[in-house]
Amino acid sequence: MRTYRRTLLATALCTALAAAAPLARAADAPITIMVGGINKIIYLPAKLTEALGYFKEEGLNVELQSQPAGVDAENQLIAGAVQGVVGFYDHTIDLQSKGKEIEAIAVFCKVPGEVELVSAKAAAAGFKSMADAKGKTLGVTGLGSSTDFLTRYLADRQGVASKDYSLLPVGAGNTFIAAMKQDRIQAGMTTEPTVSQMLKTGDAKVLVDLRTEEGSKAALGGLYPAASLYVQNAWADAHKEQATRLAHAFAKTMAYIQTHSAEQIAELVPRDYYGSDKALYVEALKASLPMFTADAKMPAGGPETVLKVLATYKPQVKSRNIDLSRTYSNAYLAAAK
């Protein structure tokens, strides 16, 4: 009788383990996340989550990769080469207008964190606002990128039609700096720490500042949720456990950012993020900290602002009945709690 009971118990245990195995494998399956410029401060939560060990705490096997422009990362996601992208939320709306279902499941920034810089030479020649962009070449990270979207909107709002200026994809960091120094672009949109670097050397001046809530509201009409983790809706539906753990990992990182100094955060990033001028990186980080969300949730009213901006100059977005509820979800954050 005892042998029979032991056999039954062993059978039941094996059955339970067999049933649990697919779930464990699903949670542990490798996840590749493409970052649209991994050393940009706007996308810092990606590397910071890895450095803090939060991916591992959540039982996730995450690999971070980098692309210089968000639009390239987006293409990798659509092709199924990666499971997630750290990029701008506005891509989810743009892609829905093209029949693609993408959603942000963790939001890092309430505002773009971008700055439209004008070269010191162009500024001295009278380039004082986006109204002076006629006949100029403006730098963006990539055509179809969020810097492309925002640049077009800022110019349009100042009465400058797209036919009256040129856009040149120049990437970010050193390639952006070189393009401006060589006068291949007279103005361009970039992020920290490039902004602080160019201001320190005197090679550029601020034309439009989207690093703060005040500046973003003045330029865009409201909060503009930007840096985020987005995935294909179908992937999130089929991998709810992984999506929930990812959202939770990033939420912990956003809480860390809110409760630690720029100096403490800088200690966690690779040396090549700041090179030989760590003090400049810390200052750039201090200027950027207010743009981050505290809980990785989508800020109220943010999606509506982004939709308004995109619909202004994107006929395909304007003509479609965009379902904003399909472009982001706070549900995974709630489930994590």
Side-chain angles (χ1 to χ4, degrees):
M1 187 67 178
R2 287 181 180 177
T3 302
Y4 177 68
R5 286 177 179 174
R6 282 199 298 270
T7 302
L8 284 178
L9 181 60
T11 302
L13 181 59
C14 289
T15 301
L17 289 173
L23 295 176
R25 284 196 296 272
D28 294 340
I31 298 173
T32 301
I33 296 177
M34 186 70 74
V35 186
I38 200 165
N39 60 351
K40 297 177 183 178
I41 288 180
I42 54 171
Y43 298 147
L44 179 62
K47 193 65 176 179
L48 202 55
T49 304
E50 180 182 70
L52 289 166
Y54 292 157
F55 290 135
K56 290 184 178 179
E57 278 188 16
E58 292 296 320
L60 296 168
N61 179 10
V62 174
E63 178 190 0
L64 298 177
Q65 296 182 1
S66 184
Q67 281 278 4
V71 64
D72 297 324
E74 165 195 299
N75 292 335
Q76 293 285 317
L77 179 69
I78 294 171
V82 300
Q83 287 69 54
V85 166
V86 169
F88 268 37
Y89 161 70
D90 51 21
H91 287 284
T92 69
I93 295 176
D94 183 48
L95 286 169
Q96 191 183 117
S97 74
K98 300 171 183 176
K100 307 293 184 182
E101 291 279 297
I102 308 293
E103 63 180 341
I105 61 173
V107 179
F108 308 153
C109 297
K110 300 171 283 187
V111 296
E114 303 276 357
V115 176
E116 184 71 24
L117 291 177
V118 60
S119 71
K121 178 182 177 181
F127 198 160
K128 303 298 182 183
S129 75
M130 288 300 284
D132 303 315
K134 291 182 180 179
K136 303 297 193 298
T137 300
L138 309 178
V140 296
T141 53
L143 298 180
S145 67
S146 297
T147 53
D148 180 335
F149 299 162
L150 289 167
T151 299
R152 290 178 185 274
Y153 181 77
L154 293 176
D156 182 80
R157 203 172 187 193
Q158 292 297 317
V160 182
S162 58
K163 64 180 177 61
D164 293 329
Y165 60 86
S166 300
L167 292 180
L168 182 67
V170 294
N174 290 334
T175 55
F176 178 94
I177 293 171
M180 185 163 281
K181 284 185 175 181
Q182 295 163 9
D183 200 35
R184 290 191 289 123
I185 59 172
Q186 289 71 59
M189 188 167 287
T190 191
T191 60
E192 294 286 12
T194 305
V195 174
S196 290
Q197 186 175 346
M198 297 205 74
L199 295 179
K200 181 180 179 179
T201 59
D203 290 312
K205 297 180 181 297
V206 173
L207 205 62
V208 182
D209 195 339
L210 303 178
R211 290 174 296 182
T212 67
E213 290 190 31
E214 295 75 19
S216 297
K217 287 177 179 177
L220 305 174
L223 291 180
Y224 192 101
S228 61
L229 169 71
Y230 59 81
V231 300
Q232 295 200 54
N233 294 46
W235 182 87
D237 290 341
H239 301 82
K240 284 186 168 59
E241 179 69 16
Q242 284 184 308
T244 299
R245 294 185 185 195
L246 278 172
H248 194 199
F250 282 115
K252 288 193 286 189
T253 300
M254 304 320 295
Y256 181 93
I257 290 173
Q258 294 295 317
T259 54
H260 291 76
S261 68
E263 289 83 359
Q264 289 172 311
I265 294 170
E267 289 298 319
L268 296 171
V269 305
R271 183 182 178 84
D272 61 357
Y273 278 34
Y274 52 80
S276 61
D277 199 340
K278 189 174 183 179
L280 177 67
Y281 184 84
V282 170
E283 287 304 309
L285 192 52
K286 286 179 180 177
S288 303
L289 291 181
M291 71 185 177
F292 289 113
T293 65
D295 53 13
K297 290 183 179 179
M298 176 64 74
E304 288 77 10
T305 302
V306 178
L307 177 58
K308 178 199 69 175
V309 169
L310 294 188
T312 299
Y313 68 92
K314 277 186 163 288
Q316 194 168 10
V317 172
K318 187 175 182 179
S319 64
R320 294 293 182 92
N321 183 24
I322 299 295
D323 182 358
L324 289 176
S325 70
R326 297 286 296 163
T327 63
Y328 73 93
S329 175
N330 289 326
Y332 299 100
L333 291 162
K337 290 181 180 179

